[in-house]
Amino acid sequence: MALSDDVRIALDGKWRHVREQSRKELADLDLAYDHDLTLDEARARVLEQMKKLVPTGIPAAGFRVESGGTGDPGMAVTGIEMLAQFDLSLMVKAGVQWGLFGGAIENLGTERHHKAYIPGLINLDILGCFAMTETGHGSDVQSLETTATYDLATEEFVINSPTPSSRKDYIGGAAAHAQVAAVFAQLITKGENHGVHCFVVPLRDDQGNDLPGITTSDDFHKGGLGAVDNGRIVFDHVRVPRENLLNRYGQVDQGGTYSSPIESSNARFFTMLGTLIRGRISVGGSASAATEVALSIAGRYALKRRQFGPEPGNEILLMDYRMHQRRLLPLIARSYAYRFAQNQLVARMDTVQSAEEPPPPHQQRELESRAAGLKAAQTWHATRAIQEAREACGGAGYLAENRLTTLKGDTDVFTTFEGDNHVLFQLVAKELLTSYAQEVGGLDPVGLVRFAAGTVADVVKERTAASQLIQRLIDARPGRSDDNHDLLDRGTQLSLFEDREEHVLETAARRLRRANSGDKAEAFAVFNAAQDHVIRAGRVHIERVVLEAFTAGIARTESPEAQELLRDVCSLYALTSIEEDLAWFMGHNRLADTRAKTVTSLVNELLEKLRPHTLTLIEGFGVPVGTLNAAMLDD
Amino acid sequence: MALSDDVRIALDGKWRHVREQSRKELADLDLAYDHDLTLDEARARVLEQMKKLVPTGIPAAGFRVESGGTGDPGMAVTGIEMLAQFDLSLMVKAGVQWGLFGGAIENLGTERHHKAYIPGLINLDILGCFAMTETGHGSDVQSLETTATYDLATEEFVINSPTPSSRKDYIGGAAAHAQVAAVFAQLITKGENHGVHCFVVPLRDDQGNDLPGITTSDDFHKGGLGAVDNGRIVFDHVRVPRENLLNRYGQVDQGGTYSSPIESSNARFFTMLGTLIRGRISVGGSASAATEVALSIAGRYALKRRQFGPEPGNEILLMDYRMHQRRLLPLIARSYAYRFAQNQLVARMDTVQSAEEPPPPHQQRELESRAAGLKAAQTWHATRAIQEAREACGGAGYLAENRLTTLKGDTDVFTTFEGDNHVLFQLVAKELLTSYAQEVGGLDPVGLVRFAAGTVADVVKERTAASQLIQRLIDARPGRSDDNHDLLDRGTQLSLFEDREEHVLETAARRLRRANSGDKAEAFAVFNAAQDHVIRAGRVHIERVVLEAFTAGIARTESPEAQELLRDVCSLYALTSIEEDLAWFMGHNRLADTRAKTVTSLVNELLEKLRPHTLTLIEGFGVPVGTLNAAMLDD
């Protein structure tokens, strides 16, 4: 077996069978995006494509057997991710229908909702949308303005958009296809607001006309995702039966009395959101899949395109230029790192969601935090890497027929949806800075300050505690060598990452603790002055998590040759990460000046060492050449 | 007069009258891009828009009075740049017709060509294109494969595409509109190749059909610039009269004998390219204009959008978050810096091109180097800043109706065309590393090594010599203060930038000199190992040039209040530049650890100080609200 097969198997992870199946089945379905279609035509086409996905079994995998599915969450997420290799409009449409809308019904609803909706939404008899975001509120979901007021007289909820900013917006499916919406709204009964809950609200009749009280409109053209019918919904006192409340975490009885298994309204809200974790995992994974496609295109182009050279007629392959290696190989290494981290995350999610019992809160929230942080890291990497891939292919990279600009435009919103990346890193930091044992706080800055004020340094220590394998490597790290080649040692790298995280977290906590948390204005001011520091804490935490996942992934790799290659790729990831943050490592006495200067030469050594393996690394991504769909690679 | 007016006047520079005229006249012309049009419709529309530009006088300004123009190069470049505020497809179409095609006729042709083409191309009776790039060769123009072979028998040139890679590609106008092309090809006569020259070649008949021997085709959809009809041209032994050679720098007589006023074929080639400098200047300026539009949109949105806050109902403006200030204000400061640098460049270009006599070679090449480097810096800034502006507006930023994604897609190719940015920075470095007095070398790496081997450290010193004003500030810089506030002193900043440039250049030269320039393979290997270092030399040179231009621009500003504000903006540019390169300043003992740590807190101080002036700074860009064309700013 070729080395690239061994590498691909390592990268494919636990749901390799889903990847293999998708590589074959999806390639036959004519899924490539067509820029010549009008909005309406593109939307109609993607709906037809979705119908072809039903028989693959991927849609059913996301639902429990009791609900009408096949109960394989790992397959569901991996399958969505594979769609991203083919077309991101299709991936988003599928994600909205089966992941977001279906996920809301499955996780927030109870048996009656499962029976009524899940078989139909799996086979597309019921087309749904996920109406959470409003024009006025995206990341701050607790501040949504749409109301669902219980009317005792008719035993109905009245769904209403009280202000212009309460209009639901950017909702995939709302502009055209969705017949029904999972609507997030403030539940009000007996004059009391019990916070955001989710309601099933029919939107359109069989002819596709808005139902009474519903006004949908179209977001029209976007920066990408041309086949996704994003739109807006305004509710004018729309009545739905009491039973349309997805009532797993909150119930209103006929008499209008509210009850919930979770007392704290904050805890309830975050528990509900937590069940929807697959959305973030799918977006992060899809961003990585799209990045792998882009790097495969740019990498293969660099292995065939020649330009300049020592003399006329002796032109050099782009990939043989040091600068081009510098541009592409570290991005490829980072994509490898994220793939291992994503595989680990999907496996944990699968374990948690396949278990009979709900996980302990601590485990659930660690999973959520990791999903949030990894989504932010992967989507920013996508933005940066696809941009670089486009530029690395010059004018050819700008033609739609070579796909890179489509990948760039389609993935661009990934840094925003399923949570703005800055807010997500803030959330990661908050989870690290506050004690899991305490009452769940909101996402508001003051809440963060309040909790940070209550924590002790030990909590930070505990949060960053490493696994046995990692600790063993750290303990076994060599002393500093004269040629600084010890920086290539994994234990040394892991220790640098861990050390940085602890320091950034501790100093962030110290700054936040300065505030008198009783004074909200002061607490906000203290938070605000430290905001970049807090976000940085989330970011360096994820860098550590990713390096550890890469390390663990190598340990699980069977082929010794593949292991050896992956070790160099992992070092390239680690050292370019350190290089990007070199001023910090120097300024905090983690790397002395001479040692710091070695980082760049070690990176260059690795580039030289990995250059001959460029094609192997690209093939390791497992995107078949036919799937790349870039005209310039044809001849 | 409001402070923002004073700031805008400072930024508008010498061709303020053109900017003021354009702000009024262009706003009435309905130039906004329409995403609902098909390719054909969009292309037809942009051609109609171009016709409306003729009466503005901007097209005629680019040509000498003797040729049929009005002889105002500064106005021509400023006018094109103003188009970029409205629509970049239009800017590019105008740039191709009047800048590239017109510029080739004007600068490479002689009187007979001026008479035959210039009046007609100004008023659009003649539609042209600029056929330089080939599928196989973009940046390396000297390696173009298209041939123009003189046929003694018929006194014609035979234009031919001998290979698939010699196909002209990405040529604006080639897919549909262009009737005639300025074709760059290897001039061969009497069996000898005299290098790349430019020929006028008719492409289409009056019905728009390809002429015999010409095969045009379409590049179709791209990452942006939807109304520009980029396409391909293949020549199959197309015959044009001997007179169609643009013969200012090279002539073939009836008998087939070649002659040129410039003996060296390298020198001739670069002289010809040098006359086309306005293309790069226009692209850099347009990138900056588009960036100013994007930052105006994101900045104004951040001054109206609220999210989260210390308590419910008390939400905070995005612009009041430290992280949001961190994201936008340094980009605004950098845009200010580039605007002053661009104004200085345009003024120098205008002086050189308006003079009776051609400039001394040294001055011409410094102008070219600056145009190249500033184009690279401005276009990369555009890519980064427009991306950040999009993300800073969240989901709203992703809708085409808010324009940011269109700006992003349209400007994306700017880092590639008119010279790939990496190649341009390499060119800047080469000009710095080699002596202007020597024979002109090629763009090939080995040439660079050869010349670097011949230079002495003094040349580097001379190249970086500062003007009187700058030297005075550097000499007057204070000693290091305890609170490190001396880092806010302009002289200190200038000295840090100058010092870095000298060091990077000297060490780059030292590395290149190690090669035995006689051995081409070795010379290439040495160059390749140092390529990132060389490119970095170009980059830090331009950062110094830009800081000096900002400094000079402030000195020329009349209003003391505007001066004061601009001084803080300039410091924000300087300190965030230093912050991004902090590891270098620390590792090379230019900033000790404690001093380095102050940089970030000084940046934060400046953000706090500039926050109240956000709107003033946006208004200073001089993009009227009506021109922003972003739906989310309407209500």
Side-chain angles (χ1 to χ4, degrees):
Chain A
M1 196 158 63
L3 177 55
S4 59
D5 291 319
D6 289 330
V7 173
R8 197 191 63 245
I9 288 168
L11 234 62
D12 272 356
K14 196 169 164 185
W15 280 270
R16 179 152 75 94
H17 55 289
V18 180
R19 296 186 193 276
E20 289 294 2
Q21 178 199 336
S22 299
R23 282 177 190 128
K24 280 187 217 117
E25 289 183 9
L26 297 179
D28 295 333
L29 295 185
D30 180 27
L31 303 180
Y33 191 76
D34 181 351
H35 286 271
D36 274 323
L37 302 181
T38 64
L39 274 190
D40 286 345
E41 290 165 352
R43 290 168 174 183
R45 179 166 175 250
V46 81
L47 202 54
E48 291 308 309
Q49 292 173 332
M50 283 174 75
K51 290 178 188 161
K52 298 182 194 165
L53 298 180
V54 177
T56 64
I58 290 168
F63 302 90
R64 282 180 285 265
V65 177
E66 318 75 281
S67 311
T70 57
D72 189 346
M75 174 176 180
V77 167
T78 307
I80 293 281
E81 200 184 293
M82 289 304 290
L83 287 179
Q85 284 191 4
F86 292 83
D87 178 50
L88 290 151
S89 286
L90 177 60
M91 172 259 145
V92 169
K93 280 292 279 189
V96 166
Q97 170 74 11
W98 294 306
L100 295 177
F101 172 67
I105 303 284
E106 168 95 340
N107 295 302
L108 305 178
T110 49
E111 204 186 337
R112 67 166 181 261
H113 304 111
H114 301 159
K115 276 198 180 146
Y117 297 107
I118 288 179
L121 73 85
I122 288 176
N123 69 18
L124 300 177
D125 286 342
I126 300 171
L127 294 175
C129 67
F130 184 80
M132 181 184 269
T133 298
E134 298 174 357
T135 303
H137 289 94
S139 294
D140 187 2
V141 178
Q142 283 186 289
S143 296
L144 292 179
E145 295 175 80
T146 303
T147 51
T149 311
Y150 186 64
D151 181 351
L152 198 62
T154 61
E155 296 181 18
E156 293 171 315
F157 283 103
V158 182
I159 313 290
N160 195 44
S161 312
T163 62
S165 58
S166 70
R167 177 181 67 178
K168 296 292 177 186
D169 207 346
Y170 322 115
I171 311 299
H177 296 150
Q179 299 153 333
V180 56
V183 176
F184 289 79
Q186 304 287 349
L187 189 160
I188 298 164
T189 180
K190 295 184 170 177
E192 195 182 340
N193 185 342
H194 294 275
V196 172
H197 288 66
C198 188
F199 302 81
V200 179
V201 183
L203 292 181
R204 292 186 166 88
D205 65 21
D206 291 345
Q207 280 72 50
N209 303 308
D210 288 349
L211 290 169
I214 305 276
T215 307
T216 62
S217 56
D218 202 321
D219 281 328
F220 290 110
H221 296 274
K222 304 182 297 291
L225 300 175
V228 183
D229 55 325
N230 295 84
R232 294 155 172 165
I233 316 171
V234 175
F235 301 98
D236 181 9
H237 300 90
V238 175
R239 292 178 165 269
V240 296
R242 187 177 63 93
E243 291 74 18
N244 283 29
L245 167 63
L246 297 175
N247 60 336
R248 180 164 163 207
Y249 295 106
Q251 170 70 314
V252 172
D253 69 18
Q254 286 174 306
T257 300
Y258 181 85
S259 62
S260 167
I262 305 174
E263 203 171 335
S264 147
S265 116
N266 249 338
R268 186 190 315 132
F269 173 74
F270 283 103
T271 302
M272 287 167 66
L273 278 200
T275 65
L276 307 176
I277 189 175
R278 269 187 235 167
R280 274 182 194 155
I281 297 179
S282 295
V283 167
S286 296
S288 280
T291 309
E292 290 160 12
V293 173
L295 291 173
S296 297
I297 293 172
R300 286 177 184 273
Y301 186 67
L303 292 171
K304 81 178 258 194
R305 167 85 168 182
R306 295 174 179 275
Q307 204 75 174
F308 292 107
E311 49 201 329
N314 181 11
E315 291 179 303
I316 300 286
L317 278 178
L318 292 187
M319 203 64 214
D320 283 325
Y321 282 99
R322 169 58 47 82
M323 197 66 208
H324 219 77
Q325 294 162 11
R326 266 258 162 209
R327 292 168 77 179
L328 294 184
L329 290 175
L331 296 172
I332 289 174
R334 186 168 284 266
S335 276
Y336 268 68
Y338 289 147
R339 175 58 53 199
F340 282 111
Q342 174 76 7
N343 288 349
Q344 192 184 66
L345 174 67
V346 171
R348 289 188 186 187
M349 178 278 294
D350 185 76
T351 305
V352 163
Q353 298 204 341
S354 301
E356 291 289 310
E357 293 295 307
H362 159 268
Q363 199 182 341
Q364 167 70 21
R365 292 180 58 199
E366 193 178 310
L367 187 67
E368 286 170 31
S369 164
R370 186 162 297 198
L374 205 51
K375 179 268 184 188
Q378 291 183 97
T379 56
W380 264 329
H381 173 58
T383 295
R384 174 177 158 200
I386 300 174
Q387 179 70 38
E388 193 67 51
R390 196 305 283 159
E391 294 181 29
C393 296
Y398 194 57
L399 301 189
E401 66 174 33
N402 292 320
R403 212 178 155 196
L404 294 165
T405 54
T406 308
L407 290 166
K408 176 66 187 67
D410 285 348
T411 54
D412 197 66
V413 76
F414 285 19
T415 56
T416 295
F417 71 16
E418 286 285 334
D420 173 88
N421 282 1
H422 288 96
V423 176
L424 293 181
F425 272 142
Q426 218 165 284
L427 184 148
V428 171
K430 186 184 155 248
E431 290 297 321
L432 291 166
L433 287 166
T434 61
S435 168
Y436 292 112
Q438 295 192 40
E439 189 209 358
V440 189
L443 267 178
D444 60 297
V446 174
L448 175 56
V449 172
R450 196 163 65 239
F451 284 110
T455 58
V456 287
D458 286 350
V459 175
V460 170
K461 201 81 186 171
E462 185 192 322
R463 287 304 147 257
T464 57
S467 73
Q468 280 191 329
L469 164 70
I470 302 303
Q471 195 57 53
R472 215 164 48 232
L473 286 165
I474 290 177
D475 293 342
R477 70 188 186 277
R480 297 187 182 182
S481 65
D482 279 351
D483 61 356
N484 292 309
H485 271 71
D486 62 301
L487 285 172
L488 292 174
D489 175 75
R490 191 78 61 241
T492 303
Q493 295 161 1
L494 287 162
S495 148
L496 283 167
F497 276 51
E498 188 189 84
D499 195 26
R500 175 179 57 167
E501 177 179 346
E502 276 180 25
H503 187 276
V504 172
L505 274 171
E506 273 169 14
T507 47
R510 210 179 302 147
R511 284 177 74 172
L512 294 175
R513 265 186 239 115
R514 277 180 212 148
N516 169 3
S517 62
D519 181 336
K520 288 190 173 180
E522 189 197 324
F524 178 77
V526 166
F527 158 78
N528 205 24
Q531 190 182 15
D532 48 350
H533 193 154
V534 168
I535 288 173
R536 183 171 157 70
R539 193 191 280 262
V540 299
H541 168 71
I542 292 297
E543 284 220 322
R544 195 220 359 130
V545 163
V546 170
L547 181 59
E548 292 186 3
F550 202 150
T551 305
I554 294 173
R556 268 196 313 275
T557 298
E558 284 177 23
S559 146
E561 292 80 10
Q563 277 200 332
E564 199 188 324
L565 179 59
L566 289 172
R567 273 196 287 270
D568 286 333
V569 177
C570 186
S571 278
L572 184 59
Y573 162 70
L575 290 181
T576 48
S577 295
I578 290 171
E579 196 182 31
E580 283 175 15
D581 205 14
L582 202 56
W584 188 91
F585 285 102
M586 294 169 76
H588 294 80
N589 300 317
R590 264 62 178 186
L591 288 177
D593 285 5
T594 47
R595 204 162 147 76
K597 276 184 196 161
T598 332
V599 173
T600 296
S601 37
L602 290 175
V603 167
N604 284 338
E605 276 179 31
L606 286 166
L607 294 176
E608 215 159 301
K609 200 167 168 196
L610 287 170
R611 162 66 189 91
H613 299 286
T614 308
L615 186 59
T616 303
L617 293 176
I618 290 169
E619 288 175 345
F621 283 140
V623 191
V625 182
T627 301
L628 292 178
N629 193 27
M632 65 188 176
L633 300 177
D634 286 349
D635 48 340
Chain B
M1 196 158 63
L3 178 55
S4 60
D5 291 320
D6 288 331
V7 173
R8 197 190 65 244
I9 288 168
L11 235 62
D12 272 357
K14 195 168 162 187
W15 280 270
R16 178 152 76 94
H17 56 287
V18 180
R19 296 186 192 276
E20 288 295 2
Q21 178 200 335
S22 299
R23 282 177 190 128
K24 279 187 216 118
E25 289 182 10
L26 298 179
D28 295 333
L29 296 185
D30 180 29
L31 303 181
Y33 190 76
D34 181 350
H35 286 271
D36 274 324
L37 302 182
T38 63
L39 274 190
D40 286 345
E41 290 165 350
R43 291 167 174 185
R45 179 167 175 251
V46 81
L47 203 53
E48 291 308 310
Q49 292 172 333
M50 284 174 75
K51 291 179 187 159
K52 298 183 196 166
L53 298 181
V54 178
T56 64
I58 290 169
F63 302 90
R64 283 180 285 266
V65 177
E66 316 78 280
S67 311
T70 57
D72 188 346
M75 174 176 181
V77 167
T78 307
I80 293 281
E81 199 185 292
M82 288 303 291
L83 287 179
Q85 285 191 3
F86 292 83
D87 177 50
L88 289 151
S89 285
L90 177 60
M91 173 261 145
V92 169
K93 280 292 279 187
V96 166
Q97 170 74 11
W98 294 305
L100 295 177
F101 173 67
I105 303 283
E106 168 94 341
N107 296 302
L108 304 179
T110 48
E111 202 185 337
R112 67 165 181 261
H113 305 111
H114 300 159
K115 276 196 180 149
Y117 297 107
I118 288 180
L121 73 85
I122 289 177
N123 69 19
L124 300 178
D125 286 341
I126 299 170
L127 294 176
C129 68
F130 184 81
M132 180 184 269
T133 299
E134 297 173 358
T135 303
H137 289 95
S139 293
D140 187 2
V141 179
Q142 283 185 290
S143 297
L144 291 179
E145 296 174 80
T146 303
T147 51
T149 311
Y150 186 64
D151 180 351
L152 198 62
T154 61
E155 296 182 17
E156 292 171 315
F157 282 103
V158 182
I159 314 290
N160 194 44
S161 312
T163 63
S165 58
S166 69
R167 177 181 69 177
K168 296 292 177 184
D169 207 346
Y170 322 117
I171 311 299
H177 296 150
Q179 300 153 331
V180 57
V183 177
F184 289 79
Q186 305 286 350
L187 188 159
I188 298 165
T189 180
K190 295 183 170 178
E192 195 182 340
N193 185 341
H194 294 275
V196 172
H197 289 65
C198 188
F199 302 82
V200 180
V201 183
L203 292 180
R204 292 186 167 89
D205 65 19
D206 292 345
Q207 279 73 50
N209 302 308
D210 288 348
L211 290 168
I214 305 276
T215 307
T216 63
S217 55
D218 202 320
D219 282 327
F220 290 111
H221 296 275
K222 303 181 298 291
L225 300 176
V228 183
D229 55 326
N230 294 84
R232 293 154 173 167
I233 315 171
V234 175
F235 302 98
D236 180 8
H237 300 89
V238 174
R239 292 179 165 270
V240 296
R242 188 177 63 93
E243 290 75 17
N244 283 30
L245 166 63
L246 296 175
N247 61 336
R248 181 164 163 206
Y249 294 106
Q251 171 69 315
V252 171
D253 69 17
Q254 286 173 305
T257 300
Y258 181 83
S259 62
S260 167
I262 305 174
E263 203 171 334
S264 146
S265 117
N266 249 338
R268 186 190 315 131
F269 173 73
F270 283 104
T271 302
M272 287 167 65
L273 279 200
T275 65
L276 307 176
I277 189 175
R278 270 188 233 167
R280 276 184 193 154
I281 297 179
S282 294
V283 167
S286 297
S288 280
T291 309
E292 290 161 12
V293 172
L295 291 173
S296 297
I297 292 171
R300 285 178 185 272
Y301 186 67
L303 292 171
K304 85 179 253 194
R305 169 85 169 182
R306 294 175 180 274
Q307 203 75 174
F308 292 106
E311 49 201 329
N314 181 11
E315 290 179 302
I316 300 287
L317 279 177
L318 292 187
M319 203 64 215
D320 284 324
Y321 282 99
R322 169 57 49 81
M323 197 66 208
H324 219 78
Q325 293 162 12
R326 267 258 161 207
R327 293 168 76 180
L328 294 183
L329 289 175
L331 296 173
I332 289 174
R334 187 168 283 265
S335 276
Y336 268 68
Y338 288 147
R339 175 57 55 200
F340 283 111
Q342 174 77 6
N343 288 348
Q344 192 184 66
L345 175 67
V346 171
R348 288 188 187 187
M349 178 277 295
D350 185 76
T351 304
V352 164
Q353 299 204 340
S354 302
E356 291 289 311
E357 293 295 307
H362 159 268
Q363 201 182 339
Q364 168 70 22
R365 292 180 58 197
E366 193 177 309
L367 187 67
E368 285 169 32
S369 165
R370 187 163 296 199
L374 204 51
K375 180 268 182 188
Q378 291 184 96
T379 55
W380 264 328
H381 173 58
T383 294
R384 174 178 158 197
I386 300 173
Q387 180 69 37
E388 192 67 52
R390 195 306 282 161
E391 294 181 30
C393 295
Y398 195 58
L399 301 190
E401 65 174 34
N402 292 320
R403 212 179 156 196
L404 293 165
T405 54
T406 308
L407 289 167
K408 177 66 186 66
D410 285 348
T411 54
D412 197 66
V413 76
F414 286 19
T415 56
T416 295
F417 70 14
E418 288 285 335
D420 173 88
N421 282 359
H422 288 95
V423 176
L424 293 181
F425 272 143
Q426 218 165 284
L427 183 148
V428 171
K430 185 184 154 247
E431 289 297 321
L432 291 166
L433 287 165
T434 61
S435 167
Y436 292 112
Q438 296 192 39
E439 188 208 358
V440 189
L443 268 177
D444 60 297
V446 174
L448 175 56
V449 172
R450 197 166 63 239
F451 284 111
T455 58
V456 287
D458 286 350
V459 175
V460 170
K461 200 82 186 171
E462 185 194 320
R463 288 302 148 258
T464 58
S467 72
Q468 280 191 329
L469 164 69
I470 303 302
Q471 197 55 54
R472 215 163 48 232
L473 286 165
I474 290 176
D475 293 342
R477 70 188 187 278
R480 298 188 181 180
S481 65
D482 279 351
D483 60 356
N484 290 310
H485 270 70
D486 63 301
L487 285 172
L488 292 174
D489 174 75
R490 191 77 61 240
T492 303
Q493 296 161 0
L494 287 162
S495 148
L496 283 166
F497 277 51
E498 188 189 83
D499 196 25
R500 174 178 59 167
E501 178 179 346
E502 277 181 24
H503 188 276
V504 173
L505 275 170
E506 272 169 14
T507 47
R510 211 177 301 147
R511 285 176 73 172
L512 294 176
R513 263 186 241 117
R514 276 180 213 149
N516 168 3
S517 62
D519 180 336
K520 288 189 175 181
E522 188 198 325
F524 178 77
V526 166
F527 159 78
N528 205 22
Q531 190 182 15
D532 49 350
H533 193 154
V534 168
I535 288 173
R536 182 170 159 71
R539 194 190 278 264
V540 298
H541 168 71
I542 292 298
E543 284 220 322
R544 193 217 4 128
V545 163
V546 169
L547 181 59
E548 292 186 5
F550 203 150
T551 306
I554 294 173
R556 268 195 314 275
T557 298
E558 285 178 20
S559 145
E561 292 81 9
Q563 277 200 330
E564 199 186 325
L565 179 59
L566 289 172
R567 273 195 287 269
D568 285 333
V569 176
C570 186
S571 278
L572 184 59
Y573 163 70
L575 289 181
T576 48
S577 294
I578 290 170
E579 197 182 32
E580 283 175 16
D581 204 14
L582 201 56
W584 188 90
F585 285 102
M586 294 168 76
H588 293 80
N589 300 317
R590 264 62 179 185
L591 289 177
D593 285 5
T594 47
R595 204 162 148 77
K597 277 185 196 161
T598 333
V599 173
T600 296
S601 37
L602 290 176
V603 167
N604 284 338
E605 275 179 32
L606 285 167
L607 294 177
E608 214 160 301
K609 200 167 168 196
L610 287 171
R611 163 65 190 91
H613 298 287
T614 308
L615 186 59
T616 303
L617 293 176
I618 291 169
E619 288 176 344
F621 283 140
V623 191
V625 182
T627 301
L628 293 177
N629 192 28
M632 66 188 175
L633 299 178
D634 285 349
D635 48 337

